[in-house]
Amino acid sequence: MAPRRPAELYRAPFPLYTVRLHPQRPLAITAGGGGAAKTGIRNGVHFLQLEQIGGQLSASLLHSHDTETRATMTMALADDIIAAGQDASCHILRFSLQGPEAKSGSSGRDGSGEKGPRKRKGASPAGQGGETQSRSSEVTVESLHSVRTDFSADALQKAVRFNADASLLFPSMKKTLEFKAHDGEIEDIALGPDNKVVTAGRDFQCCVWQRDQLVTGLRWNENLPGIPDKAYRYQACRFGAVADMAGALRLYTVQVPHKRERRPPPCYLTKWDGKSFLPLLTRPCGAEVISCLSLSDSGTFLGLGTVTGSVAIHIAFSLQRLYYVREAHGIVVTDMAFIPESRRGRELLGEHEAALLSVAVDSRCKLHLLPRRRSLPVWLLLLLSAGLIMATILLLQLAFPGFL
């Protein structure tokens, strides 16, 4: 059975390029804009309150932070600190919430403890969550630092990440290292343990660094001799936990075709050991070109967005596709984020196993819900096993009289 069309959780007045979810608060932060062009399209960072109302996940606009002429293209979140890639610079922002939303995270429909009116903008067209509302709230955003990170002619910061303890980028914003990692643009960065950094470039390389020293270059196709080295380039890289294996780590990369063809070849997902950086599994993931990658907190699920607006969810263990909606957005999916698996996050999930938010240039934030996978009870498995054993014995008795 194909999944239903995803609910439209929120529609912004500008193109959306990035989305992040707070790990401890029911809060989504999404950003984008029209850039410096005088088209009348604004630039901003929107703070959305998430809550369950009537069994549906809904979003309330808490605050819109104006970023003037700068569109936010990339974003990282560490507690209440945002690192935002805007044009050629990285801006560090701190936000704080006052009022009932900061304390309870949910106020319900009766408006108790709510400051100001609540105005409904419309319900989800999919009927499975995604109601969007606007609510007044006290949200303050403070600009802490700004530093230029790209000095090229067509300057654009394409990736930003915090390390595990947020000691990089914040609070000092002092440059720690600078080294040439790739020829040309860097598509993505992943920060791992032991100060390891993985960089994916448009030069067909994906490299693992220990500070500024090259540890190894990844070769996803070394066991696939039919694929030339420069037929694919690396599009995305992410570290992820391993479900039910404490302390274990995996690296996931996406490879996309370097050239567009009339009959497009498939893109590929590769899972790597997070310590030895040896490839563990590679699978094709469809002919639509992948634009972004996201991982769930537990490392159970991978989310993929495509340049044609489609969204898929894969099981991280086997890389098999579990969920797919063709052209969920009308144009390229720019970013994705899973609902955190914290206590607040589980409250938002309700009866679903996972929920993924996707944003796109079509200004929409869509909600993708993954129902809980049904499993057989233990007693039924034991009963079926006993039945299978009895059937085997009877068949052997019929085939070989006197077997018993």
Side-chain angles (χ1 to χ4, degrees), residues 1 16-17 22 26 39 46 48 99 103 134 139 154 214 218 228 248 280 288 299 393-394:
M1 181 177 177
L16 292 174
Y17 295 113
H22 198 283
T39 59
H46 282 192
L48 307 176
K103 296 178 181 178
S134 177
V139 178
D154 299 321
L214 179 64
L218 302 184
L280 301 175
E288 296 174 89
I393 293 174
L394 289 175

Side-chain angles (χ1 to χ4, degrees), residues 16 291 305-310 329-335 359-362:
L16 292 174
S291 57
T306 74
V307 298
T308 49
S310 301
H329 292 269
I331 198 169
V332 56
V333 180
T334 49
D335 202 6
V359 297
V361 183
D362 62 4

Side-chain angles (χ1 to χ4, degrees), residues 31 33 101 108 122 124 135 144 164 178 182 213 251 259 263-264 319 324 378:
E101 292 84 7
S124 160
R135 180 196 303 173
L144 300 180
E178 181 176 8
H182 293 273
Q213 299 299 309
L251 175 70
K259 294 181 179 179
R263 297 185 64 180
L319 301 185
Y324 172 75
V378 175

Side-chain angles (χ1 to χ4, degrees), residues 132-404:
T132 302
Q133 302 161 345
S134 177
R135 180 196 303 173
S136 62
S137 178
E138 294 181 12
V139 178
T140 59
V141 181
E142 176 187 6
S143 180
L144 300 180
H145 303 283
S146 174
V147 62
R148 182 161 184 173
T149 56
D150 191 345
F151 294 88
S152 61
D154 299 321
L156 177 64
Q157 180 182 298
K158 297 192 70 172
V160 60
R161 298 282 180 267
F162 284 109
N163 62 336
D165 61 1
S167 60
L168 294 179
L169 286 184
F170 180 78
S172 66
M173 284 293 284
K174 292 181 180 179
K175 185 185 296 184
T176 302
L177 290 169
E178 181 176 8
F179 58 95
K180 184 174 179 61
H182 293 273
D183 293 322
E185 295 181 3
I186 292 178
E187 288 289 345
D188 205 2
I189 296 176
L191 301 184
D194 303 324
N195 294 318
K196 286 190 172 65
V197 180
V198 179
T199 58
R202 293 185 69 90
D203 56 358
F204 308 100
Q205 302 296 316
C206 191
C207 302
V208 182
W209 305 87
Q210 183 92 46
R211 295 180 64 83
D212 57 351
Q213 299 299 309
L214 179 64
V215 175
T216 185
L218 302 184
R219 293 194 47 139
W220 73 277
N221 60 331
E222 65 180 357
N223 296 321
L224 302 172
I227 300 179
D229 284 343
K230 294 193 175 181
Y232 284 79
R233 61 177 178 83
Y234 292 89
Q235 175 66 23
C237 54
R238 288 288 188 280
F239 280 104
V242 181
D244 303 325
M245 290 180 63
L249 201 64
R250 296 288 183 262
L251 175 70
Y252 299 89
T253 61
V254 171
Q255 294 79 230
V256 300
H258 176 58
K259 294 181 179 179
R260 301 288 179 90
E261 299 180 9
R262 181 172 296 180
R263 297 185 64 180
C267 297
Y268 286 90
L269 263 173
T270 300
K271 178 171 66 173
W272 310 76
D273 184 277
K275 293 183 178 179
S276 66
F277 296 101
L278 295 175
L280 301 175
L281 182 63
T282 294
R283 283 188 179 274
C285 53
E288 296 174 89
V289 178
I290 304 301
S291 57
C292 55
L293 166 69
S294 180
L295 267 74
S296 63
D297 287 351
S298 64
T300 305
F301 301 110
L302 303 172
L304 296 177
T306 74
V307 298
T308 49
S310 301
V311 171
I313 299 176
H314 290 243
I315 300 174
F317 175 76
S318 63
L319 301 185
Q320 292 181 333
R321 192 166 71 184
L322 190 64
Y323 169 101
Y324 172 75
V325 176
R326 182 176 178 84
E327 297 178 359
H329 292 269
I331 198 169
V332 56
V333 180
T334 49
D335 202 6
M336 317 172 78
F338 281 94
I339 295 288
E341 297 175 11
S342 60
R343 179 181 63 83
R344 281 285 173 83
R346 289 192 294 270
E347 291 174 357
L348 295 174
L349 287 176
E351 297 181 354
H352 297 92
E353 187 169 5
L356 178 71
L357 270 60
S358 63
V359 297
V361 183
D362 62 4
S363 306
R364 291 163 170 81
C365 178
K366 296 287 186 77
L367 172 66
H368 308 268
L369 296 171
L370 195 64
R372 291 194 180 278
R373 291 168 288 175
R374 295 182 179 180
S375 58
L376 295 175
V378 175
W379 66 266
L380 183 56
L381 289 175
L382 293 174
L383 185 62
L384 291 173
S385 299
L388 183 60
I389 293 171
M390 292 298 297
T392 303
I393 293 174
L394 289 175
L395 288 173
L396 290 172
Q397 178 66 23
L398 290 174
F400 306 99
F403 171 75
L404 293 178

